[in-house]
Amino acid sequence: MSRRIEKVPVALGERSYDILIGQGLLAESGALIGDVLRGRQAAIVTDDNVARLHLPSLQASLAKTDITHTAIVLPPGEATKSYASLATLCDRLLLANIERRDLVIALGGGVIGDLAGFAAAVLRRGVDFAQIPTTLLAQVDSSVGGKTGINSPLGKNLVGAFHQPRLVLADLDLLTTLPQREFAAGYAEVAKYGLLGDAPFFDWLEANVQAILDGDAKARMHAVKTSCEAKARVVAEDETETGVRALLNLGHTFGHALEAATGYSNRLLHGEAVAIGMVQAFRFSEWLGHCAKGMARRVAAHLAKAGLPVATAQIPGSLPPPHDLVAIMRQDKKAVAGRLTFILARAIGETFVARDVREEDVTAFLAADLAQA
Ligand SMILES: NC(=O)c1ccc[n+]([C@@H]2O[C@H](COP(=O)([O-])OP(=O)(O)OC[C@H]3O[C@@H](n4cnc5c(N)ncnc54)[C@H](O)[C@@H]3O)[C@@H](O)[C@H]2O)c1
Ligand SMILES: [Zn+2]
């Protein structure tokens, strides 16, 4: 079998690193990790689901090197991004004698990546860290860019740090065991990169979504690589989100409100909330007159083809009224004087940050939108 590894560099000065994308990378991970390891040992952090499916392959590959390693297996799910899990994880890393030059390896989705990355950021004031993302969402989004953290009872991702990995290994083969619903949720973030700044990529996705869903390796490679390049470009320009990085939040102001309203439960996965949120962002842009009519319809048709919900009516159970959703947004985004920040669109592939959207416009739009759905 001919094998291809694509490399996407993330240019952050002395904190620069590579994202390697390909098939069969896990089986070669020992050697690849050996290339960046400064110390002697590694601690793998993963969850039960991923451990069952993919931990043996990583361990076997590390066993072929002289890197000593331990594995710490945590329960799956968002609840693991907690203070309690962070404390347990830090103590277990200390017990394993992980030193600053050793490596914490996050093997899992965004939950494991965010938690393990944050533990690595604070343990001994910062130990080295690598990501082996196992969900599509983690491969195209959460493993790239160095945002790490946990949830507080007061809100999601409120406690965290920027801590860049030394290496990201995105093995496309790992996606074959991912449940279809999780794959679709990650796909929302792939489509996001086209919508926020790359119209030709969105055109390509429209033509290739079925191949991507069907597991076509070439199509998946192109989708993951283009997404990582887009995120790497934005992160290199604005590492700590003072400017353009905000564009990555397309669909997330509406989406976060829906996630909060549904209690971050199985009713609505993050990517599903983002899919609905992106359609709403385009509808809102049309409603405000920024964008030609018909764009939102095209966005919705594409996301629906990927198996994603595109309207609030598709969320099981009832939702709070528009006024309450706006109240959630206000809290989420620390609105200033009745003004909210949204990522709005002029066209597919052309978005901008609007920092002065009036709350009453959002409420009126949502009332019309929810009635229509
Ligand atoms: N740091 C960032 O920049 C950033 C960006 C986006 C999202 N996030 C965070 O990412 C998290 C969501 O990540 P996620 O969607 O990857 O969820 P997740 O980590 O919970 O994984 C989803 C589910 O899939 C399972 N799983 C993972 N890989 C698998 C595989 N290969 N085969 C079978 N099952 C597998 C997991 O056990 C879990 O049950 C959220 O907490 C979110 O806040 C962070
Ligand atoms: Zn997201």
Side-chain angles (χ1 to χ4, degrees), residues 245-323:
R245 192 164 177 170
L247 291 179
L248 297 174
N249 292 330
L250 174 65
H252 283 63
T253 304
F254 287 116
H256 282 158
L258 295 171
E259 276 187 284
T262 49
Y264 302 98
S265 66
N266 222 26
R267 270 172 77 195
L268 191 66
L269 301 180
H270 172 74
E272 294 171 339
V274 170
I276 297 172
M278 291 192 297
V279 175
Q280 284 183 319
F282 273 81
R283 293 238 288 245
F284 191 38
S285 302
E286 290 181 12
W287 195 82
L288 290 169
H290 292 301
C291 174
K293 295 247 182 287
M295 295 287 171
R297 186 189 290 272
R298 184 175 159 201
V299 175
H302 178 64
L303 296 173
K305 221 169 153 186
L308 284 160
V310 292
T312 46
Q314 290 169 273
I315 303 170
S318 61
L319 286 175
H323 188 266

Side-chain angles (χ1 to χ4, degrees), residues 7-312:
K7 187 195 284 190
V8 177
V10 185
L12 291 169
E14 60 183 17
R15 279 168 288 106
S16 297
Y17 55 96
D18 287 330
I19 306 163
L20 302 184
I21 309 164
Q23 293 180 269
L25 287 185
L26 197 60
E28 288 175 37
S29 54
L32 296 168
I33 285 166
D35 289 344
V36 300
L37 184 69
R38 299 188 297 160
R40 292 181 309 110
Q41 45 164 358
I44 305 160
V45 183
T46 188
D47 73 25
D48 286 305
N49 295 334
V50 179
R52 192 163 29 80
L53 294 161
H54 302 297
L55 180 59
S57 165
L58 173 56
Q59 287 173 317
S61 184
L62 287 171
K64 285 192 237 155
T65 69
D66 57 5
I67 306 168
T68 55
H69 51 98
T70 52
I72 300 169
V73 183
L74 302 167
E78 188 67 31
T80 292
K81 266 174 63 174
S82 66
Y83 287 119
S85 308
L86 177 72
T88 307
L89 176 55
C90 285
D91 287 343
R92 289 182 67 180
L93 290 169
L94 291 170
L95 279 171
N97 293 316
I98 293 298
E99 307 270 349
R100 290 184 71 169
R101 296 158 75 86
D102 294 332
L103 194 69
V104 172
I105 303 172
L107 174 71
V111 164
I112 289 298
D114 280 11
L115 172 71
F118 187 44
V122 295
L123 194 83
R124 301 185 194 277
R125 298 191 184 81
V127 304
D128 282 353
F129 146 68
Q131 294 259 22
I132 306 184
T134 64
T135 64
L136 180 57
L137 181 133
Q139 293 193 352
V140 301
D141 191 355
S142 62
S143 70
V144 180
K147 277 193 187 177
T148 72
I150 57 170
N151 304 325
S152 147
L154 296 178
K156 258 193 59 132
N157 298 326
L158 289 182
V159 178
F162 285 98
H163 189 51
Q164 301 292 346
R166 293 182 64 80
L167 177 69
V168 180
L169 294 180
D171 184 341
L172 300 171
D173 287 341
L174 305 186
L175 303 179
T176 57
T177 59
L178 195 62
Q180 190 274 332
R181 187 178 173 198
E182 294 288 350
F183 188 89
Y187 185 84
E189 305 280 5
V190 174
K192 183 184 78 178
Y193 294 112
L195 292 173
L196 75 83
D198 188 348
F201 182 50
F202 189 76
D203 295 342
W204 181 87
L205 288 172
E206 285 184 316
N208 290 280
V209 59
Q210 199 55 51
I212 293 168
L213 295 175
D214 290 346
D216 180 276
K218 234 173 121 187
R220 285 191 173 185
M221 170 67 101
H222 185 69
V224 172
K225 180 172 181 242
T226 308
S227 300
C228 287
E229 283 169 345
K231 181 141 188 197
R233 220 171 16 245
V234 172
V235 167
E237 205 177 312
D238 179 20
E239 186 178 6
T240 54
E241 196 169 325
T242 52
V244 295
R245 192 164 177 170
L247 291 179
L248 297 174
N249 292 330
L250 174 65
H252 283 63
T253 304
F254 287 116
H256 282 158
L258 295 171
E259 276 187 284
T262 49
Y264 302 98
S265 66
N266 222 26
R267 270 172 77 195
L268 191 66
L269 301 180
H270 172 74
E272 294 171 339
V274 170
I276 297 172
M278 291 192 297
V279 175
Q280 284 183 319
F282 273 81
R283 293 238 288 245
F284 191 38
S285 302
E286 290 181 12
W287 195 82
L288 290 169
H290 292 301
C291 174
K293 295 247 182 287
M295 295 287 171
R297 186 189 290 272
R298 184 175 159 201
V299 175
H302 178 64
L303 296 173
K305 221 169 153 186
L308 284 160
V310 292
T312 46

